[in-house]
Amino acid sequence: MIGFVFYSIDVMKKLLFILISFLCFGCKKTIEKKVETAVVSANIMHAKGFSIDKLKSGISIVKITSPWPNAEGSFTYALVPKNIQHKVTVNKGSYDAIITVPIEKIVVTSTTHVPALEALGVENTLIGFPQTEYISSEKTRKRISDGKVKELGNNEFINTEMVIALQPNAVIGFGLNNKNKAYNTISKSNTPVLYNGEWTEETPLAKAEWIKFFAALYALEKKGDSIFNTIKTNYLQAISLAKKATKKPTIMCGAMFKDVWYLPGGKSWAAQFLKDANSTYLWADNNKNGSLALGWENVLETAQNADFWLSPSNFKTYEELKNNSLHYEQFKPFKEKNIYSFTGTTGETGGILFFELAPTRPDLVLKDLIHIFHPELLPNYKSFFYQPLK
């Protein structure tokens, strides 16, 4: 038997009112990542640690899948353009943070974040940084001197009260895990903390592509794409140039700390540069993407007759190397004065420029290496980061 349900006149009036109300005010939508699907996905070609999807509503969803090495979870952020704020309501439970874009005030926590802001032309939005003495950029150093960028203490123990008082639209953090108590405190104050995992990427172009992460925060996606495409073109042209070299020199790296010699793994960011510069890194067959820890005897056995030695820790002179350990004198690059380092290229307050700018500008790093290994290919080139040891 088919059942029928009869409604009273009052109930029907209520239902009609609810329906009309929904039709009248339904333009304000609740955005849930489980309901609305992306209509445009950003073209992330090299980076593996993040993605950006733009929804039909105009909201962008940024997902960080590699906030630190071997991370088991991910972070998802909703970027809501100011011009549609009044039209949408975001389900807070679906996201780790909700940010209104473009950002007007920002706190970043790594010197590698600064070049991205400057490249995008939004460095004036930077209002705070931990340990400002490490920043090398002349442009941002002037803003620090003018009191426009506040000193926020040590990154691991960032001054949370100062950060909260500055009222930034977002804090860009990085960490080895999710146990940073300062970030948790800042988040609880309704100041969004976004993790940037650029440093976990394994290739030069992958690190550089994180400029698209910052571009999304400022609604400058097209500009971010353009900047990255230029860097990529320059990098690929440099690889093509390096291939013209007739010789392929052998390379050793690193130095000892106490009795352990630290050097890049064969699948690391640094090793990729050496490969692209058409050289033979003597530990290229190693599968580690981090650093290796070896005894000096092992290094001597493999690299005693290397052609070049790069980045001998913080040593800046041959005398410093010799005084630290007589073992260093046994290597051919020491004897023939073929050791190069980036630690001598610093900013006004001693910050090492390589640590700040190299991830964003891998094309400059690669040209430096080509100039060192194959000087005939770039005869008039002036090195940007690397200098001969004194």
Side-chain angles (χ1 to χ4, degrees):
M1 180 181 295
I2 299 176
F4 293 87
V5 179
F6 295 94
Y7 294 99
S8 68
I9 297 298
D10 287 340
V11 172
M12 290 298 291
K13 285 181 178 179
K14 288 180 181 178
L15 290 173
L16 183 61
F17 175 78
I18 292 170
L19 179 61
I20 292 172
S21 297
F22 176 79
L23 292 174
C24 290
F25 302 106
C27 57
K28 183 149 183 157
K29 297 177 285 186
T30 298
I31 307 302
E32 297 186 44
K33 61 182 178 181
K34 294 180 180 179
V35 176
E36 191 176 359
T37 56
V39 292
V40 178
S41 293
N43 187 20
I44 309 298
M45 297 174 281
H46 299 272
K48 297 179 180 180
F50 78 108
S51 63
I52 303 174
D53 295 323
K54 182 155 286 189
L55 307 183
K56 188 176 180 180
S57 61
I59 289 178
S60 290
I61 306 301
V62 177
K63 187 171 185 179
I64 309 299
T65 54
S66 182
W68 45 78
N70 303 314
E72 295 181 357
S74 61
F75 293 87
T76 306
Y77 310 117
L79 311 184
V80 184
K82 287 182 181 178
N83 61 350
I84 66 168
Q85 256 188 312
H86 64 289
K87 296 180 181 179
V88 297
T89 301
V90 183
N91 185 348
K92 294 183 178 180
S94 298
Y95 304 101
D96 294 290
I98 300 167
I99 303 94
T100 302
V101 296
I103 281 178
E104 295 178 353
K105 296 191 298 181
I106 195 170
V107 166
V108 301
T109 56
S110 170
T111 57
T112 60
H113 302 161
V114 175
L117 299 181
E118 293 187 353
L120 291 166
V122 294
E123 67 275 4
N124 289 341
T125 64
L126 179 62
I127 58 173
F129 188 89
Q131 296 178 285
T132 54
E133 70 271 18
Y134 288 115
I135 294 179
S136 299
S137 162
E138 292 182 7
K139 188 181 291 186
T140 298
R141 286 237 57 87
K142 185 177 186 309
R143 297 193 72 247
I144 294 169
S145 298
D146 293 343
K148 295 177 180 178
V149 179
K150 303 297 182 183
E151 170 60 55
L152 299 176
N154 183 286
N155 186 55
E156 293 184 5
F157 305 100
I158 193 169
N159 189 320
T160 56
E161 291 183 1
M162 284 189 67
V163 172
I164 294 168
L166 287 172
Q167 297 184 315
N169 302 123
V171 173
I172 309 302
F174 75 94
L176 297 175
N177 50 49
N178 62 350
K179 297 179 181 180
N180 189 309
K181 293 181 181 179
Y183 290 164
N184 292 334
T185 300
I186 293 168
S187 295
K188 289 176 182 178
S189 74
N190 294 320
T191 299
V193 175
L194 287 71
Y195 281 97
N196 181 301
E198 155 266 309
W199 64 284
T200 67
E201 300 286 352
E202 297 174 10
T203 68
L205 289 177
K207 286 180 183 288
E209 197 163 24
W210 276 78
I211 194 170
K212 295 179 181 180
F213 165 84
F214 282 100
L217 299 179
Y218 290 91
L220 293 172
E221 288 88 348
K222 288 184 178 179
K223 187 171 184 179
D225 289 347
S226 177
I227 292 169
F228 175 73
N229 288 338
T230 298
I231 292 169
K232 180 179 178 178
T233 297
N234 292 342
Y235 193 88
L236 295 179
Q237 287 176 346
I239 290 178
S240 297
L241 177 64
K243 288 179 179 178
K244 295 179 181 180
T246 56
K247 294 182 179 180
K248 197 171 183 178
T250 54
I251 315 298
M252 62 180 289
C253 294
M256 286 187 290
F257 178 72
K258 295 184 178 180
D259 294 327
V260 180
W261 193 305
Y262 293 96
L263 62 158
K267 302 300 180 185
S268 65
W269 178 62
Q272 186 65 48
F273 275 122
L274 299 177
K275 178 182 178 180
D276 291 342
N278 196 13
S279 66
T280 299
Y281 179 45
L282 292 170
W283 285 269
D285 292 338
N286 177 273
N287 289 321
K288 269 200 164 187
N289 54 31
S291 63
L292 302 177
L294 303 174
W296 78 267
E297 297 96 338
N298 300 116
V299 178
L300 183 67
E301 182 181 356
T302 301
Q304 184 173 9
N305 293 312
D307 294 311
F308 293 94
W309 181 351
L310 290 183
S311 309
S313 188
N314 291 323
F315 297 111
K316 297 179 181 179
T317 69
Y318 286 91
E319 192 65 23
E320 287 180 5
L321 271 175
K322 180 180 177 180
N323 290 340
N324 182 261
S325 174
L326 295 176
H327 295 314
Y328 293 133
E329 294 184 278
Q330 300 181 60
F331 292 88
K332 177 183 169 184
F334 186 99
K335 297 174 183 178
E336 298 186 356
K337 299 296 185 288
N338 274 330
I339 305 179
Y340 291 79
S341 176
F342 53 71
T343 57
T345 307
T346 61
E348 177 187 334
T349 53
I352 297 174
L353 183 60
F354 184 91
F355 293 148
E356 179 173 312
L357 186 59
T360 302
R361 293 300 306 273
D363 52 326
L364 298 178
V365 177
L366 185 56
K367 287 180 180 178
D368 275 12
L369 297 177
I370 293 171
H371 177 62
I372 293 169
F373 304 152
H374 315 291
E376 72 281 2
L377 298 179
L378 289 171
N380 300 315
Y381 179 79
K382 184 178 180 181
S383 186
F384 202 89
F385 300 108
Y386 284 92
Q387 302 296 334
L389 218 62
K390 296 178 181 179

